[in-house]
């Protein structure tokens, strides 16, 4: 358990004894003892499914702590009941936000639009050992949650992750996080969520034209303006689709700063990086 990060972020209080620390950690998860832990989390630990990088070793307990803090934050937000049809329609109103450069401008509007469709959007920096970019699921009080870590602090990755998780909610609903332990099912659902995200970032009417865009700054900016999205997202999608080398035009991607994000009162408190 990433106790130091959890205490530093204010997720739980620091205790002097191991026993009191154990009690505090169980309280963080809303549990009284290990029998409740086993009942609630054994299945989750075996089948939890969310978008993460396979390039790193994942610490399951760190990931569960991150997910739990997302649940806690979501329950404090004003949010309507989960409405899949309303949320699907709202995504096209969210898409223009991809052109805004600062999270301080687009995050409040993103939260408001999603909340009206019953989706709580939670931004929480991941503790050490958790490599998640995002997660989505339906909570017990009939609201959905999309949890985002801003892991790579770039606009192309953030928006791809958001629409990917939105795709899971729209396409897979309550089965997204708690799935049978079937790699075939997971591969299919991840592919479907990826395609869902790609269609929102680059709508179908522009998909053919994207194939003809040359990997030069002027051409990318011109196409981004025409498609109604940001140049960084176009670069990210061209790299993802092998239309551009991964080291080209990365300066067009907008970079975010955790110092700015931490000023947002709805962002889960700052966690120290390894260097801090």
């Amino acid at each position: 358990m990433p106790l130091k990060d959890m205490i530093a972020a204010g997720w739980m209080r620091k205790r002097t004894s191991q026993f009191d620390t154990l009690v505090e950690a169980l309280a963080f998860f809303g549990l009284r003892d290990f029998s409740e832990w086993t009942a609630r989390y054994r299945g989750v630990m075996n089948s939890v499914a969310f978008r993460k990088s396979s390039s790193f070793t994942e610490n399951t307990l760190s990931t569960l702590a991150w997910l739990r803090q997302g649940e806690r934050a979501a329950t404090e937000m004003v949010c309507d009941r989960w409405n899949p049809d309303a949320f699907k329609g709202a995504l096209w109103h969210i898409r223009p936000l991809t052109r805004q450069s600062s999270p301080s401008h687009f995050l409040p509007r993103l939260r408001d639009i999603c909340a009206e469709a019953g989706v709580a959007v939670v931004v929480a920096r991941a503790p050490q050992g958790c490599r998640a970019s995002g997660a989505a699921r339906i909570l017990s009080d009939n609201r959905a949650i999309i949890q985002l870590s801003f892991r790579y602090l770039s606009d192309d990755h953030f928006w791809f992750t958001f629409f990917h998780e939105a795709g899971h909610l729209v396409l897979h609903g309550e089965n997204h996080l708690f799935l049978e332990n079937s790699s075939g099912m997971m591969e299919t659902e991840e592919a479907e969520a990826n395609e869902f995200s790609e269609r929102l970032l680059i709508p179908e009417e522009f998909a053919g034209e994207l194939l003809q865009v040359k990997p030069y700054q002027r051409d990318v900016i011109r196409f981004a303006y025409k498609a109604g999205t940001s140049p960084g997202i176009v670069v990210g999608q061209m790299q993802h689709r092998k239309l551009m080398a991964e080291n080209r035009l990365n300066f067009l991607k907008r970079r975010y700063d955790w110092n700015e994000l931490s000023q947002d009162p709805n962002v889960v408190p700052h966690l120290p990086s390894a260097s801090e």
Side-chain angles (χ1 to χ4, degrees):
M1 193 73 69
L3 296 177
K4 290 183 179 179
D5 278 354
M6 294 168 69
I7 292 169
W11 297 3
M12 56 181 283
R13 293 170 294 180
K14 185 176 182 179
R15 297 298 191 180
T16 56
S17 72
Q18 289 185 337
F19 178 81
D20 288 341
T21 300
L22 171 62
V23 172
E24 187 77 16
L26 287 172
F28 169 81
F29 284 98
L31 307 173
R32 291 173 298 181
D33 55 40
F34 276 114
S35 64
E36 291 187 354
W37 171 278
T38 301
R40 181 179 299 182
Y41 286 106
R42 174 174 289 175
V44 178
M45 290 174 70
N46 290 334
S47 64
V48 65
F50 53 91
R51 185 167 178 266
K52 61 183 183 296
S53 171
S54 60
S55 301
F56 298 87
T57 300
E58 178 207 349
N59 183 310
T60 302
L61 292 177
S62 292
T63 302
L64 287 177
W66 180 74
L67 287 170
R68 172 60 178 162
Q69 182 59 27
E71 293 175 0
R72 296 172 69 188
T75 58
E76 297 177 0
M77 295 182 177
V78 176
C79 188
D80 292 342
R81 289 176 62 87
W82 166 231
N83 186 328
D85 292 333
F87 183 59
K88 186 175 182 179
L91 293 174
W92 292 104
H93 297 287
I94 291 172
R95 187 176 178 275
L97 298 179
T98 63
R99 301 187 66 180
Q100 296 190 14
S101 60
S102 173
S104 64
H105 294 150
F106 68 71
L107 274 179
R109 182 60 180 151
L110 176 64
R111 289 195 195 94
D112 289 345
I113 295 174
C114 291
E116 291 175 359
V119 179
V121 175
V122 174
V123 174
R125 191 172 185 176
Q128 292 294 317
C130 173
R131 305 299 179 179
S133 296
R137 65 261 198 216
I138 309 296
L139 301 180
S140 58
D141 61 352
N142 291 314
R143 72 175 66 190
I145 174 176
I146 290 179
Q147 186 170 342
L148 304 162
S149 69
F150 268 88
R151 182 177 169 197
Y152 290 103
L153 294 174
S154 66
D155 64 341
D156 64 314
H157 188 266
F158 172 83
W159 286 110
F160 184 87
T161 300
F162 171 80
F163 288 123
H164 176 101
E165 300 305 335
H168 276 305
L169 290 178
V170 170
L171 300 173
H172 310 133
E174 297 182 17
N175 293 324
H176 171 47
L177 196 62
F178 304 101
L179 297 170
E180 296 297 329
N181 193 13
S182 168
S183 60
M185 181 182 296
M186 278 306 303
E187 289 173 1
T188 298
E189 294 195 348
E190 288 298 287
E192 290 172 349
N194 283 344
E195 184 179 352
F196 186 92
S197 181
E198 291 166 6
R199 287 200 306 268
L200 276 157
L201 294 174
I202 308 293
E204 290 184 16
E205 61 264 34
F206 298 105
E209 188 173 345
L210 178 66
L211 300 176
Q212 308 303 319
V213 176
K214 296 180 180 179
Y216 299 112
Q217 179 178 353
R218 180 180 300 177
D219 297 84
V220 167
I221 292 174
R222 184 183 297 116
F223 175 79
Y225 180 81
K226 184 176 182 180
T229 189
S230 76
I233 287 175
V234 175
V235 170
Q237 282 298 292
M238 290 182 70
Q239 292 172 343
H240 176 68
R241 302 178 195 207
K242 309 301 182 184
L243 302 174
M244 179 190 298
E246 293 188 1
N247 62 351
R248 282 190 63 84
L249 300 184
N250 285 320
F251 64 87
L252 290 177
K253 298 179 182 180
R254 290 172 178 145
R255 301 292 176 177
Y256 305 134
D257 187 332
W258 264 109
N259 289 327
E260 178 188 357
L261 286 167
S262 64
Q263 301 305 310
D264 187 323
N266 289 307
V267 170
V268 175
H270 168 73
L271 283 170
S273 65
S275 62
E276 294 175 312

